[in-house]
Amino acid sequence: MNKTVNINLANTLFHIDDDAYNKLRRYLESIKRSFSGTPGSDEIIADIEARIAELFLEKMENERQVITQKQVDEVINVMGQPEDYMVDEDIFEDEPKKTYTPPTAKAKKLYRDIDQKYIGGVCAGLEHYLGFDALWIRLIFILLAVFTGFGLVAYILLWILVPEAATTSQKLDMRGEPINISNIERKVKEGFDDVADKVKNVDYEKVGNKVKSSSKTFFDAIGDIIMFLFKVFGKFIGILLIIIGAASLIALFIALFSVGLLNSVHFPGVDFYEIVNTTGAPVWVVSLLIFFAFAIPFFFVLYLGLKILVNNLKSIGNIAKFSLLGLWMISIGVLFALGVRQAAEFANVGSIHEKDEMLMENPSDTLVIKMRPTGFEHNREDVHFGRMTFGYDENDNRVLISDDIHIITKKSDDDYVRINVRKDSHGSTSVVARERAKEINYGYALEGNTIALDKHLNTAISNKARDQEVTITLYIPEGKMVKFEESTRGHIGSGIDNDKDYYRSGLVSYIWLMGEDGELKCQNCPEEPEETEEEEEGGKIIINEDGVDINLKDNQDSFEMKINEDGIKVKASDKNNN
């Protein structure tokens, strides 16, 4: 059993076992000895410790993980040993210089180069990242800003979003150079050399006046203001994302456990699922899939909001991220497959026909057509799929009912009234659809001179809702009088030819005669209103199912139409009038 030690490395707390701690301590002490007396040694050592802390954090899966000797060896291998480098090379100018081959150059990271900046260091940072001279990049931004305005927006966004290369490690990252002892030492010494050169040539009085007047440039101040506003806006977005994510997850959890799994709440959606489902998937399975499909994205919305608000929020780890992503993709894929299978249930239509001859006691009487109640009017539920819902028969058995009943008329070829009942349903194949259509229950009866048609069809729940409907075709002899009672309103089908061009419900309550050409002739419809003198003079506008017809007289070539609160006024102009 190894003893563990808590250490603070670059302001970060680590748990490290005793053997690894002793090796790391000796390594850092040897580095301090190597750089003893070197200009900038404190900064070099601080940057080295910061880089070691970064490498440890990359290797840790959680904050409680203990650093072992193996991980210390891996970090030392990346950073290199102090003896691999020549610290004071100028002392031994006659000796051959030792060389050290650093690891292969790493991928560059985008930072703002504040050492070479004109405004925010964006273009200087892009020079390192893209490999183009900063002058050309600045020209591109200027041209885009002048001609499109996009250059200014892009520059400000990059200024806000791209971090500046402040530390030695970040500057090496910006150039794609390995962050090891050699490169850290070189960068720090370069910085000291630059400072020394500037000190030799500086005008102390001017520098003093400049420091007194302003410690920041104008663009630095603008940048600070923009960054402050962006942070405030970012915090607001973070709070909003947390509220949306948390509220959605709570709602989904409640729906999953109360409706999907426990079915403790009578929710209409469950009944709807029972009506339409033919996949065989239980409601709890579909509920679980829907939960994962929506809850996982909302979880990441919540996590993103927390990341915006909490700077030091620990990552959930790549394993958790990819596991959730895989679970989400599986849920979406299964739901898509179930949806395709469900859609296939409506791909084909099957029909069956039931024909009958209606023998009236007195053939000369007017044939009356009405809808009769089926008992489902008051024994039904409010869950609907199209025109289909649940109902209860006389034995209190739950069935599917629908009022999707259509009545059309045609001329009979003989002197008898005939009826054809066509039952339609959908299915994955024509055979399945026809079998489902056979299961539709529908009744009618001849009562004296009245044909009473059921107001509802019904079928067993096991047949599911597949757009079941009934179309009733009445074949009526020529010269036979027909009347549609008020109860048929909403059930009369389209396409019944009549001399008044009435559409569907317009046929109700009038007496109609079946003509020789199969067209119904109205016997008691109101006459068309006579044209008034003003209409005769000014022409007329006819609006019907064929569209709008503007009828002008022969001596008229234009008209004026006014529409206001008083109605519509049409005034025609003669050809001879201006």
Side-chain angles (χ1 to χ4, degrees):
M1 182 174 64
N2 294 332
K3 184 175 75 171
T4 60
V5 179
N6 295 331
I7 63 172
N8 188 331
L9 191 63
N11 296 323
T12 305
L13 182 65
F14 294 98
H15 306 287
I16 184 170
D17 68 37
D18 194 46
D19 294 338
Y21 167 73
N22 290 328
K23 187 165 189 176
L24 179 62
R25 179 176 55 79
R26 291 192 298 271
Y27 178 69
L28 292 174
E29 288 176 352
S30 65
I31 291 176
K32 291 179 181 179
R33 288 194 300 270
S34 298
F35 291 105
S36 177
T38 302
S41 59
D42 292 339
E43 185 177 348
I44 294 173
I45 293 169
D47 286 334
I48 292 173
E49 290 182 354
R51 178 55 180 164
I52 292 173
E54 289 179 3
L55 293 173
F56 281 154
L57 289 173
E58 291 177 2
K59 298 178 181 299
M60 291 175 60
E61 296 181 359
N62 57 73
E63 59 184 6
R64 296 183 179 181
Q65 182 175 338
V66 176
I67 303 297
T68 63
Q69 189 169 346
K70 177 184 177 183
Q71 292 165 325
V72 172
D73 290 337
E74 292 174 352
V75 169
I76 293 174
N77 185 55
V78 172
M79 297 297 296
Q81 294 288 347
E83 57 267 21
D84 292 330
Y85 310 102
M86 292 296 295
V87 177
D88 294 318
E89 297 176 351
D90 296 335
I91 299 175
F92 307 100
E93 293 180 355
D94 296 333
E95 286 189 17
K97 296 183 178 181
K98 298 180 182 179
T99 58
Y100 171 73
T101 304
T104 305
K106 56 185 294 186
K108 298 178 182 179
K109 291 185 179 180
L110 181 58
Y111 287 95
R112 290 186 290 115
D113 188 355
I114 58 176
D115 295 331
Q116 306 296 327
K117 71 175 183 178
Y118 278 97
I119 300 177
V122 172
C123 296
L126 288 172
E127 177 183 15
H128 299 295
Y129 189 75
L130 300 177
F132 296 110
D133 191 281
L135 176 62
W136 297 108
I137 298 175
R138 291 186 177 104
L139 287 175
I140 292 173
F141 272 108
I142 292 172
L143 292 175
L144 290 176
V146 171
F147 293 104
T148 67
F150 174 75
L152 180 61
V153 175
Y155 190 92
I156 292 174
L157 287 176
L158 290 172
W159 191 0
I160 294 171
L161 299 176
V162 177
E164 65 180 32
T167 67
T168 304
S169 296
Q170 290 172 339
K171 292 176 182 179
L172 291 172
D173 259 344
M174 180 175 64
R175 291 170 169 79
E177 299 178 12
I179 306 174
N180 51 33
I181 295 175
S182 176
N183 288 331
I184 290 175
E185 176 204 3
R186 178 176 54 80
K187 288 300 297 178
V188 172
K189 293 181 72 175
E190 285 176 0
F192 273 91
D193 292 340
D194 292 341
V195 171
D197 292 339
K198 292 178 181 178
V199 168
K200 291 177 182 178
N201 302 312
V202 74
D203 187 331
Y204 291 102
E205 185 176 353
K206 289 183 179 180
V207 172
N209 293 333
K210 186 176 181 180
V211 171
K212 290 178 182 178
S213 62
S214 176
S215 61
K216 294 184 179 180
T217 66
F218 170 76
F219 292 110
D220 287 336
I222 295 296
D224 290 342
I225 294 172
I226 294 174
M227 288 298 295
F228 173 76
L229 295 176
F230 180 76
K231 288 179 180 178
V232 172
F233 181 72
K235 298 297 182 184
F236 173 76
I237 295 296
I239 294 172
L240 186 62
L241 292 177
I242 290 174
I243 294 173
I244 294 174
S248 301
L249 287 175
I250 292 172
L252 288 168
F253 269 112
I254 293 174
L256 173 67
F257 287 99
S258 63
V259 178
L261 298 183
L262 303 180
N263 198 20
S264 58
V265 178
H266 181 71
F267 188 65
V270 178
D271 292 332
F272 175 82
Y273 179 79
E274 292 178 1
I275 293 178
V276 301
N277 176 47
T278 57
T279 61
V283 63
W284 68 268
V285 172
V286 177
S287 299
L288 203 60
L289 292 172
I290 294 175
F291 173 79
F292 288 136
F294 287 93
I296 292 175
F298 280 117
F299 169 77
F300 281 106
V301 168
L302 174 63
Y303 180 70
L304 177 60
L306 291 173
K307 289 283 286 185
I308 293 175
L309 289 181
V310 183
N311 294 329
N312 297 324
L313 183 67
K314 293 294 183 180
S315 174
I316 62 175
N318 290 332
I319 295 177
K321 290 178 183 177
F322 286 113
S323 297
L324 290 174
L325 178 62
L327 184 59
W328 179 78
M329 295 181 65
I330 291 172
S331 300
I332 293 295
V334 175
L335 286 174
F336 179 77
L338 293 177
V340 171
R341 182 175 177 182
Q342 185 70 34
E345 289 294 320
F346 294 88
N348 296 278
V349 180
S351 304
I352 63 167
H353 295 262
E354 297 178 359
K355 299 180 180 181
D356 195 5
E357 185 178 293
M358 315 295 288
L359 299 176
M360 299 179 60
E361 296 179 0
N362 190 353
S364 61
D365 289 345
T366 299
L367 177 64
V368 178
I369 303 171
K370 71 174 186 178
M371 309 302 292
R372 66 180 181 181
T374 56
F376 294 114
E377 289 77 9
H378 305 290
N379 295 314
R380 55 190 298 175
E381 298 180 5
D382 293 331
V383 181
H384 291 271
F385 179 71
R387 298 177 69 170
M388 184 156 279
T389 185
F390 288 112
Y392 296 88
D393 61 16
E394 62 276 4
N395 298 319
D396 206 29
N397 296 319
R398 202 181 193 201
V399 295
L400 290 172
I401 65 171
S402 173
D403 62 353
D404 199 359
I405 314 296
H406 307 282
I407 306 169
I408 60 176
T409 60
K410 291 185 178 181
K411 178 188 172 185
S412 177
D413 294 333
D414 50 32
D415 296 331
Y416 296 98
V417 176
R418 303 181 186 278
I419 185 171
N420 178 71
V421 178
R422 190 187 76 201
K423 301 176 181 179
D424 297 327
S425 182
H426 287 73
S428 56
T429 64
S430 298
V431 175
V432 172
R434 281 178 54 82
E435 291 299 322
R436 187 174 282 122
K438 291 179 182 178
E439 298 298 322
I440 297 175
N441 300 314
Y442 185 77
Y444 58 89
L446 177 63
E447 302 169 353
N449 67 329
T450 301
I451 297 179
L453 305 170
D454 283 354
K455 193 174 183 178
H456 297 92
L457 63 86
N458 69 86
T459 187
I461 294 178
S462 58
N463 293 317
K464 305 296 181 181
R466 292 297 176 267
D467 287 343
Q468 287 93 335
E469 65 178 4
V470 169
T471 302
I472 300 161
T473 304
L474 294 173
Y475 294 90
I476 301 172
E478 179 184 346
K480 183 72 175 176
M481 297 290 188
V482 182
K483 179 182 179 182
F484 296 93
E485 285 198 351
E486 182 64 29
S487 59
T488 61
R489 187 182 297 274
H491 295 282
I492 298 176
S494 61
I496 297 180
D497 295 331
N498 62 90
D499 60 347
K500 298 297 183 182
D501 289 331
Y502 287 169
Y503 183 71
R504 292 193 177 189
S505 59
L507 303 173
V508 172
S509 300
Y510 296 123
I511 304 297
W512 301 88
L513 176 71
M514 176 57 71
E516 180 181 1
D517 55 357
E519 182 181 68
L520 295 178
K521 314 292 184 181
C522 189
Q523 304 301 299
N524 60 345
C525 293
E527 296 293 334
E528 294 290 339
E530 296 182 358
E531 294 181 351
T532 63
E533 183 178 354
E534 182 177 354
E535 290 174 337
E536 186 69 29
E537 292 178 356
K540 60 182 179 179
I541 298 177
I542 302 173
I543 302 176
N544 53 30
E545 64 273 11
D546 297 325
V548 180
D549 181 18
I550 301 175
N551 185 13
L552 299 178
K553 300 302 180 182
D554 294 337
N555 62 339
Q556 298 166 350
D557 63 354
S558 65
F559 72 96
E560 178 184 359
M561 183 170 66
K562 294 183 178 180
I563 302 175
N564 53 33
E565 65 274 6
D566 298 325
I568 302 175
K569 182 179 179 181
V570 179
K571 181 180 179 181
S573 301
D574 294 339
K575 294 180 179 179
N576 298 326
N577 296 334
N578 294 328

